[in-house]
Amino acid sequence: MAGQRVRLWDLPVRVMHWSLVLLIPALWWTWRSGQMFVHVRLGYLVLAILVFRLYWGLVGSSTARFSGFVRGPKSIGAYLANLLSKRAEPTIGHNPVGGWSVVILLLLLVGVVGTGLFCEDTDGLNSGPLNYLVQGDLSSGMAHWHHLLFNGLLVFIGLHLLAIAFYVLVKRENLVGPMITGRRNMAAPMIAPSFAPWWSMVVGVILALAAVWWVSLGAPLPKR
Amino acid sequence: MISLKTLAAAALAASLCAGAAYAQDPASIAATRHENFKKLGGSFKGILDELKKPAPDLAVIKTNAKALDTLAAQLPTWFPAGTGADVVPKSHALPVIWQKPDEFKKDAGDLASAAHAMDLAAMSGNMDTIRGALPALGGACKACHQTFKAKDEH
C-alpha cells in the first residue's frame, strides 16, 4: 500500500474526548441517583477540560485550533456537495461540518457547566459553588436551564454518533480508531499537522486547575 | 434584607394558610405547601449564602435560623391527605407520604430537631457551632426527599 501513517490528533485532544465520554454518563447517573456531592466534583473535572480546551483552541496543535477548523459557508457547501463522492479527499482534522459540531458541543457544555455552577441543591449542601450569588426564582430556575441545555447536548451527541455511523457505513471510513491512536492512514501525501510543544500543555493544565480552584472557592474577587 | 417583623408576618401567614388548608381545594393546598417549602429552603440558603461571604452577618443568620426553626416545626401540618402528586399532578409530594405516615413523621421530626439545633447555634453566635449544625440539616432534607419527594424531570 502506498499510504502513509499520519499523526492527526494530539494527546490532550484524545484524553479530553474520552474523558467526556466517561464523564457525561457518570454526571447523569450521579444526578439520577442523588449523589450530588460526586456530581459537583465530576462537574469540576468537566470545567477543567473546558478551560483547557478553549485554551487549546487558541494555542494547541493545528488540528485542535479553532482557526483551523471553524469554516465559512463556502467550505461547508463544498464539503456537502462532495459528501457522497468517492473521490472526496479525507480532511486532515475536523471537516467543515464536523468543526461546527465541535463548536456547538463545546458551547452546550459551557452552558451546562455554567448553569450548573449556579444551581441550587434542594438539600442545601451540594449547591453549585456560585449559587450563593443568586437568590429566589433565579436560583431555583437555574436547574431548569441546566436540564434543558443538557438535553440539547444529548441531541448533538446523538448527531455526532450518527455522523460516525454514516462514515463507517457509507464512506467506509473509521473515525473512532484515529481518536484512540491519534493516527490514521492517508492514501495521498499531505502536509502533516503541526503539534504544540509539551510545555504549552503544562501551561494549560495549570491554567485549568487554577480556574477550577478559583471557581470552587466561589470566584472571589480581590477587594478594591 | 428581610426584617424580623416581615418574617414574623410571613410565618403567621404561613401558619394561617396551613390552618385554613383543610377548607381549600387540593391544588391550592399543594401550591401553599410549595410556597412554604420555598421559604423553608430560602431560609436555609440564607444561612449558607451568608457563610460563603468573607464577613458573614450574624444578624442575617439569626433571622433565617429563627424562620427555619418555625417553618420546620409546622411542616407536618402542610400535608393533609388527598393533596399528593396522585391528586395534584404538579405536586412533588409522593403518595408514599400517606402510606408510611410513621416514617414521614420521623423524617419531619429529624428536620425539626436539626432546625432547632441550628436556631440554638445561631443564638450562640459561634460560627463554628453554626457550621457544625449544617450537615444534620442538609442530611434531614436529603433523607426525606429521597423517599417522599418526586424528582424534577424537566
Side-chain angles (χ1 to χ4, degrees), chain A residues 130-147:
Chain A
L130 304 183
N131 175 254
Y132 78 105
L133 299 170
V134 291
Q135 271 83 31
D137 288 340
L138 185 59
S139 171
S140 44
M142 237 8 129
H144 175 71
W145 290 101
H146 190 57
H147 292 175

Side-chain angles (χ1 to χ4, degrees), chain A residues 31-36 120 122-125 129 131-132 134-135 137 139 144 147 151 216 218, chain B residues 38 41 44-45 48-49 52-54 134-135 137-139 141-142 145-146 149 151-154:
Chain A
W31 164 74
R32 195 76 193 87
S33 56
Q35 302 174 67
M36 294 312 285
E120 179 181 334
T122 14
D123 306 331
L125 290 183
N131 175 254
Y132 78 105
V134 291
Q135 271 83 31
D137 288 340
S139 171
H144 175 71
H147 292 175
N151 287 337
S216 73
Chain B
K38 268 170 93 169
F44 186 22
K45 181 166 153 51
L48 291 166
D49 290 359
K52 274 258 185 182
K53 295 176 184 168
L134 290 175
L137 207 46
C141 294
K142 188 175 177 171
H145 284 159
Q146 241 165 6
K149 190 191 176 204
K151 258 191 117 45
D152 266 317
E153 305 277 3
H154 286 276

Side-chain angles (χ1 to χ4, degrees), chain A residues 1-22:
Chain A
M1 222 175 93
Q4 53 174 338
R5 197 111 173 106
V6 174
R7 210 174 142 214
L8 191 63
W9 306 116
D10 62 16
L11 187 69
V13 164
R14 287 178 283 145
V15 169
M16 287 188 285
H17 177 268
W18 294 111
S19 300
L20 289 173
V21 172
L22 297 175

